[in-house]
Amino acid sequence: MSEARLFLLQRLTALVMAPLVLVHLVLIVVAVQGGLTAGEILGRTQGSVFWGLFYGIFVLVAAIHAPIGLRNVLREWTGIGRRPIDWLMVAFGVLLLVLGWRAVVAVVGGGA
Amino acid sequence: MAEGTLEVRIWRGGDEGAFGAYAVPARENQTVLDVVTEVQRRFEPSLAYRFSCRVGVCGSCAMTINGTPRWTCRTHVKRVAPEGRLTIEPLRNMKRVKDLACDMDGFLGKWASVGTFEGTATRADPPAAIDPASPARREVDAAIQCINCAVCHAACDVVAWDPHYLGPAALNRAWTLYNDARVADRRAVLDGALQPGGCHTCHSHGACTEHCPVGLSPTASIAGLKRAGLVSLLKGGRS
Ligand code: SF4
Ligand code: SF4
Ligand code: FES
């Protein structure tokens, strides 16, 4: 993928993430009022299409956004070649996606 | 500055080397280049350094002065070393050849790699009519006065980190070519600037602009290239 496309993708995903991050942070602050239990969290999230979509999209854009930035950091700060970095970053993105979506399924899924 | 003596340290050697220390008389109206010249004439005939015009036109005299890249012919000692202590080294981000002279090949090679002027007109054609007030020409005017001094190249951390990065001066040059209506293949110039190591590698942190002795803003030129890349992408063009 071209540098211009990655540049655009990084900015578009940032645009999507900005409100998601805000909601996520506010949610944390609200949720921890009066203590936090696994049961309470699952009670809110299980079966919720809204939170499933919310965090599903969050994970997707983060999995696109983070490797693009990390790619630049690795290019500048390590001696790893450009090709290997690109493949590493594809793998990193997939890893984020799999771990993230697995977590989303775990908290939103029916609790079976 | 009061009459007195400057404590001057000058790099001797190539990538390996050491500082030589010199006591140079302080004078009214003394530039750093004057100091280097005096050291060569009086103490160190073998001291290697570059200069030509002495008036800020040729771009050959840049060095690192007390840690900062500057043109030396128009840098007054009073302004950069009020205490009278000068440490003079070659520019950063280039291989050191000898003393204050560094190998400009990498810098100039990157400059040349973004393209040279190739127009479409022949001798038979009338001169191109370029409206000086057109937006594209204004962009060129703002960036064209580069003297190839490599000060920005030395100031840029990303050049230090990423050997593939074209750097501020070369990309600034690409921006002037891209906006020059007489250039035959402006698209090719933009494509070159959008390659890995091109404009997207820039962090926009502005060290180049901060240090450019003639007041250019490679940062703005590079932002322009990024913008042009986005526009062409969104319009369904290549890249
Ligand atoms: S703005 Fe870009 S080119 Fe200029 S110093 Fe920073 S990274 Fe280098
Ligand atoms: S842009 Fe400025 S600092 Fe860079 S080479 Fe040209 S004149 Fe020198
Ligand atoms: S000697 Fe020409 S710019 Fe300094």
Side-chain angles (χ1 to χ4, degrees), chain B residues 33 50-62 71-74 147:
Chain B
L33 185 62
R50 287 199 186 97
F51 74 98
S52 176
C53 70
R54 294 175 294 114
V55 289
V57 173
C58 72
S60 59
C61 66
W71 54 3
T72 54
C73 69
R74 296 199 53 186
I147 57 171

Side-chain angles (χ1 to χ4, degrees), chain B:
Chain B
M1 180 180 299
E3 292 301 307
T5 306
L6 303 172
E7 281 173 44
V8 183
R9 294 165 71 234
I10 295 182
W11 182 258
R12 304 297 318 275
D15 285 328
E16 303 285 314
F19 283 100
Y22 312 92
V24 180
R27 305 176 194 283
E28 274 305 308
N29 276 331
Q30 186 178 29
T31 66
V32 175
L33 185 62
D34 293 335
V35 171
V36 174
T37 300
E38 188 158 351
V39 168
Q40 194 212 44
R41 302 247 166 110
R42 292 186 49 182
F43 312 112
E44 263 335 334
S46 67
L47 179 68
Y49 67 108
R50 287 199 186 97
F51 74 98
S52 176
C53 70
R54 294 175 294 114
V55 289
V57 173
C58 72
S60 59
C61 66
M63 299 166 199
T64 307
I65 306 165
N66 291 349
T68 303
R70 297 178 186 278
W71 54 3
T72 54
C73 69
R74 296 199 53 186
T75 298
H76 283 265
V77 174
K78 260 187 254 189
R79 192 160 62 79
V80 295
E83 310 286 320
R85 275 191 289 276
L86 279 174
T87 297
I88 307 172
E89 298 165 83
L91 285 181
R92 199 168 68 120
N93 293 340
M94 281 167 282
K95 205 173 142 30
R96 295 173 173 197
V97 176
K98 180 175 186 291
D99 306 337
L100 298 170
C102 43
D103 182 353
M104 309 286 286
D105 274 3
F107 169 72
L108 295 172
K110 284 174 176 178
W111 169 280
S113 77
V114 303
T116 46
F117 179 87
E118 273 181 52
T120 48
T122 67
R123 275 176 195 284
D125 293 312
I130 307 287
D131 178 3
S134 67
R137 188 61 219 181
R138 280 166 184 265
E139 294 290 354
V140 178
D141 284 342
I144 199 69
Q145 299 286 358
C146 173
I147 57 171
N148 277 26
C149 65
V151 162
C152 55
H153 194 78
C156 176
D157 282 335
V158 182
V159 169
W161 296 330
D162 185 346
H164 299 282
Y165 180 39
L166 286 172
L171 288 168
N172 183 71
R173 174 62 180 151
W175 181 237
T176 60
L177 287 172
Y178 176 67
N179 282 293
D180 189 336
R182 299 163 306 163
V183 167
D185 195 352
R186 296 166 54 227
R187 179 72 228 189
V189 173
L190 181 60
D191 282 344
L194 295 175
Q195 291 308 302
C199 60
H200 295 108
T201 307
C202 167
H203 288 211
S204 309
H205 71 331
C208 51
T209 302
E210 171 82 21
H211 291 91
C212 173
V214 292
L216 305 186
S217 176
T219 315
S221 298
I222 295 168
L225 289 167
K226 290 182 187 174
R227 211 165 48 236
L230 272 190
V231 168
S232 96
L233 184 60
L234 294 174
K235 279 190 178 161
R238 284 170 290 159
S239 301

Side-chain angles (χ1 to χ4, degrees), chain A residues 2-4 7-8 76-77 82, chain B residues 161-162 194 196 200 203 239:
Chain A
S2 75
E3 300 294 314
F7 180 75
L8 178 62
E76 287 166 14
W77 288 86
R82 305 202 143 208
Chain B
W161 296 330
D162 185 346
L194 295 175
H200 295 108
H203 288 211
S239 301

